Amino acid sequence: MRILVYADNASWLKQLRGLADKLEAEACALVFDGNLVEEASRLFSRVYYSSLQAFNPLQAAHVAAKALEKCNPDIMAAPCTNKGRIVAGLFSALSGGLPVSDVISVEAEGEELRVKRLVFGGTASASLRVNVPAVLCVSPGAMPEATYRGSIGVVEELRAESAGGIEVEFKAREAVGVEPDKADVVVVAGRGVKRREDLSMIRELAELLGGAWSVTRPLAADYGWSDTWIGISGLSIAPRLYIGVGVSGQPHHMMGVRGAKIIVAVNKDPNAPIFNEADYGIIGDLYKVLPVLIRRLKERGA
Amino acid sequence: MRILVAAKLSLDAGQLKFDSSGHPLIDACPRRMGDADKCAVEEAVRAKEKLGAETVVVTIGGSAEHARIIRDAYAMGIDKGYIVRINEPETLSLPTVARIIAEIYRRTGPYDLVFLGVGSNDTHSSMLAPMLSSMLDIPLLPSIDKLDVKNDGVEGIATMEDGSYTFRARFPAVISITSEANEPRIPTLRAILKSKRIPIQEVSPEDLGVNVERIRLENVERFILPRRRILMEAGDQSQIEEAVGKLLEALRSEGVI
Ligand SMILES: Cc1cc2nc3c(=O)[nH]c(=O)nc-3n(C[C@H](O)[C@H](O)[C@H](O)COP(=O)(O)OP(=O)(O)OC[C@H]3O[C@@H](n4cnc5c(N)ncnc54)[C@H](O)[C@@H]3O)c2cc1C
Ligand SMILES: Nc1ncnc2c1ncn2[C@@H]1O[C@H](COP(=O)(O)O)[C@@H](O)[C@H]1O
């Protein structure tokens, strides 16, 4: 079997290489980011690279078509990120492959695949039988990160035709301290945090733990306290430690934190759904619990 | 201007319950138009109010609940609706769904814009808009949080992992709308009553010449990752001190702090 992988960061290159290893497939990679070429060449024997005008979907489609022609894969794989889902959709339309998103496991059974995916906001999993060609959009943390192969792959630059019809302008996210999708520890504020000023507590806790802070969607999208949020429609994270503070744990949020090694929740409602998915839960008022937690961490630091 | 919107009847995942053997109680779970789809309908109606447009909605599925999706869209201000009659729409393959929407676009067009929700509430693949754009060979504006429809084109802003993207395209274009894009209107009673009198056009996949493919679904079951689920009461101050102490000790022995 042969697999073509699209990835938008280094961790995803390793996770999708992990998928290829699991399927014992020959693997090529497609990247649109020049900074990923070297990393990709340590993991894949063949790397297709093209620098797009920002993330121009028409150009992405042209380049994806070229990469498909060169690699001729049975399986195409991409991460369950915004761009990954777009590229997966393009792969499917271009190749006729059946797309499956939110994939958490894959097994080859003869010429078929048995695929498990999350559905219903991550509360359930569905098992499917899928013929190749297939397009798998993989859930974060579902595949083990592969290690380097020891040899360096061949890099081939694909020319992106100028894409008339659509123009794209990109503005990089302003770094607010540590980026949540790159941090080892992420503290997330939910609607239990009542005022914008109170985010300073969340930030202080994150700093003491050497991590990043973020919010649930309502705090970002409705209140405008942050540009990004954690969850299926925002960032997916897989830190060593996630601490949800005043977060109820609704499926669409939890889907973005499933990859965390340890989940901690602070919530005053003993029936909050997050406690069903937490390793450690403190049932109490965040306005009383957080000051103690912060003090104890400072004492330790001192 | 003509605008096509695709809207899906989806499960409210937050309210889904499971039986003791872990099977989802799908029939007991409320279903409604997806949040993002509703925002897509709202964007279409706003474009119509701003520039004048004929707005059309399409949904796939055979039940009375599916017809209700069209009525809900009418009540918000959509002019015309197609229901593609087919049973068990949940097991249609995504390429089949994409081909059905593409055929509605071709056969009931021409359209200037196609709006989709960025993801449905229950399966949320987010792959349909890129699939459609590629099949129809027209530009894609993905994951749009903020849309501006003009007389000769559109501009949309999307937030992605690494920052914000502004897309500009001329007509026609496919646009996926997020549930952050707007606050969908709540229809007035008068609009709801009026929506009941607008006819719904029925078509079948055969009428559209679409060959129906189904996914081979074997099993659906509750998904919970094994977690330790150690809970600590922290009501009064001494409990808080104790709980925080235990937590820090545990996190240290897990090696995560
Ligand atoms: C298609 C779709 C996609 C979505 N995508 C996302 C997503 O990507 N990310 C996301 O976050 N959401 C997403 N949502 C929304 C999601 O369903 C929830 O509405 C949201 O996650 C709830 O946020 P919350 O936990 O902050 O708020 P709430 O659900 O209101 O919870 C607040 C919690 O705070 C607790 N609390 C209140 N006061 C205190 C106190 N003093 N001390 C301690 N605890 C307190 C309460 O007990 C409650 O449990 C999506 C929804 C849909 C339909
Ligand atoms: N059965 C359907 N009927 C009409 N529109 C649909 C259907 N399935 C998906 N869509 C549209 O495609 C979007 C993305 O769906 P999904 O790929 O399931 O996340 C939805 O928000 C709808 O706008």
Side-chain angles (χ1 to χ4, degrees):
Chain A
M1 265 207 254
R2 206 200 303 258
I3 183 167
L4 173 63
V5 157
Y6 162 79
D8 37 29
N9 68 34
S11 163
W12 272 115
L13 280 169
K14 290 187 187 144
Q15 291 178 54
L16 296 176
R17 175 73 231 190
L19 167 71
D21 290 345
K22 175 133 200 302
L23 295 170
E24 295 174 12
E26 223 181 292
C28 345
L30 169 65
V31 294
F32 295 145
D33 177 351
N35 298 321
L36 285 179
V37 170
E38 199 189 319
E39 183 79 13
S41 67
R42 290 167 191 246
L43 290 158
F44 294 86
S45 53
R46 198 162 270 279
V47 178
Y48 305 109
Y49 159 67
S50 185
S51 99
L52 305 184
Q53 179 225 351
F55 181 79
N56 184 315
L58 275 180
Q59 278 190 325
H62 290 156
V63 175
K66 285 190 191 170
L68 283 171
E69 199 177 299
K70 290 188 178 268
C71 177
N72 191 25
D74 306 291
I75 299 174
M76 293 137 271
C80 275
T81 56
N82 273 301
K83 291 181 197 165
R85 289 175 192 266
I86 294 168
V87 173
L90 296 173
F91 277 158
S92 167
L94 292 165
S95 70
L98 184 80
V100 186
S101 68
D102 304 282
V103 168
I104 50 172
S105 76
V106 186
E107 257 155 80
E109 281 180 7
E111 295 293 287
E112 296 187 339
L113 301 176
R114 170 175 263 163
V115 180
K116 237 186 205 188
R117 65 159 297 189
L118 293 174
V119 287
F120 308 148
T123 58
S125 68
S127 309
L128 304 160
R129 280 187 178 279
V130 178
N131 288 356
V132 296
V135 181
L136 308 175
C137 217
V138 179
S139 227
M143 301 296 155
E145 292 197 356
T147 47
Y148 297 135
R149 299 160 53 248
S151 59
I152 298 291
V154 182
V155 178
E156 197 174 327
E157 182 158 358
L158 304 178
R159 229 172 55 84
E161 280 140 57
S162 74
I166 186 156
E167 245 178 71
V168 191
E169 245 172 65
F170 172 60
K171 207 169 131 249
R173 190 163 95 203
E174 268 175 48
V176 278
V178 194
E179 310 265 322
D181 46 348
K182 297 189 185 112
D184 277 340
V185 178
V186 181
V187 184
V188 171
R191 284 211 315 188
V193 175
K194 292 290 175 302
R195 288 172 304 260
R196 189 173 193 159
E197 306 88 89
D198 303 339
L199 287 178
S200 61
M201 266 194 313
I202 303 294
R203 230 172 278 142
E204 188 174 9
L205 179 57
E207 266 165 35
L208 283 167
L209 295 169
W213 66 278
S214 188
V215 297
T216 58
R217 191 172 75 173
L219 270 58
D222 304 340
Y223 309 162
W225 294 356
S226 164
D227 290 339
T228 55
W229 62 89
I230 307 297
I232 190 172
S233 58
L235 300 175
S236 284
I237 53 172
R240 277 188 294 149
L241 172 62
Y242 160 97
I243 305 182
V245 182
V247 173
S248 61
Q250 291 301 316
H252 291 105
H253 176 70
M254 296 312 286
M255 207 147 162
V257 308
R258 286 269 161 74
K261 181 170 173 235
I262 297 288
I263 292 185
V264 172
V266 180
N267 196 305
K268 67 177 181 189
D269 175 6
N271 297 318
I274 195 166
F275 287 134
N276 293 326
E277 290 192 64
D279 294 289
Y280 302 95
I282 295 188
I283 307 169
D285 184 343
L286 73 94
Y287 286 96
K288 294 190 183 136
V289 175
L290 248 52
V292 175
L293 186 52
I294 288 170
R295 193 194 74 228
R296 297 279 283 259
L297 283 166
K298 277 186 179 159
E299 282 168 8
R300 184 185 63 138
Chain B
M1 185 185 310
R2 294 190 78 232
I3 303 175
L4 177 65
V5 190
K8 174 180 156 183
L9 178 71
S10 46
L11 291 182
D12 187 348
Q15 296 199 50
L16 184 63
K17 303 266 186 321
F18 295 84
D19 68 15
S20 54
S21 59
H23 290 107
L25 298 166
I26 293 195
D27 293 340
C29 185
R31 300 201 289 177
R32 58 188 159 87
M33 191 192 303
D35 293 7
D37 306 24
K38 206 169 223 181
C39 291
V41 169
E42 176 66 30
E43 286 301 332
V45 176
R46 286 186 188 184
K48 165 179 154 179
E49 287 166 350
K50 180 173 157 196
L51 301 166
E54 188 188 23
T55 52
V56 180
V57 65
V58 56
T59 198
I60 303 167
S63 75
E65 263 187 302
H66 290 96
R68 204 188 67 211
I69 294 283
I70 308 266
R71 301 263 174 235
D72 288 349
Y74 284 166
M76 288 175 70
I78 297 287
D79 305 302
K80 196 170 178 181
Y82 290 91
I83 185 162
V84 181
R85 289 275 179 204
I86 184 160
N87 54 14
E88 294 183 38
E90 324 51 68
T91 63
L92 294 174
S93 75
L94 276 177
T96 301
V97 173
R99 280 196 295 271
I100 290 174
I101 300 173
E103 282 311 314
I104 290 281
Y105 173 91
R106 292 192 181 107
R107 290 171 192 233
T108 71
Y111 290 100
D112 300 292
L113 294 171
V114 186
F115 289 169
L116 269 68
V118 70
S120 55
N121 283 8
D122 47 11
T123 50
H124 208 288
S125 85
S126 298
M127 290 193 268
L128 267 171
M131 289 171 79
L132 261 179
S133 133
S134 177
M135 284 175 180
L136 299 172
D137 200 20
I138 61 178
L140 166 70
L141 281 73
S143 281
I144 298 301
D145 295 324
K146 208 162 164 258
L147 184 70
D148 186 11
V149 180
K150 304 188 173 88
N151 266 315
D152 57 345
V154 274
E155 178 176 311
I157 301 177
T159 315
M160 300 207 191
E161 285 78 8
D162 52 352
S164 86
Y165 289 78
T166 304
F167 298 95
R168 282 184 210 95
R170 291 185 177 283
F171 300 145
V174 177
I175 306 180
S176 67
I177 303 283
T178 72
S179 46
E180 281 68 52
N182 58 54
E183 198 59 58
R185 70 194 62 201
I186 298 170
T188 60
L189 186 59
R190 227 180 101 222
I192 293 172
L193 291 173
K194 198 175 141 226
S195 75
K196 298 200 162 67
R197 294 195 301 270
I198 309 175
I200 296 176
Q201 318 289 320
E202 295 199 11
V203 287
S204 68
E206 297 75 55
D207 297 337
L208 299 171
V210 173
N211 187 18
V212 171
E213 264 172 20
R214 305 254 177 199
I215 52 169
R216 288 188 288 152
L217 187 62
E218 294 198 313
N219 183 30
V220 181
E221 59 189 8
R222 175 170 220 162
F223 180 76
I224 333 179
L225 280 175
R227 293 278 178 191
R228 293 191 188 33
R229 294 176 68 182
I230 296 169
L231 299 189
M232 295 168 273
E233 287 279 353
D236 59 39
Q237 207 55 33
S238 72
Q239 280 180 324
I240 294 176
E241 293 287 345
E242 195 190 325
V244 168
K246 276 193 190 153
L247 175 68
L248 290 176
E249 203 177 300
L251 295 181
R252 250 171 243 136
S253 65
E254 300 268 12
V256 294
I257 60 172

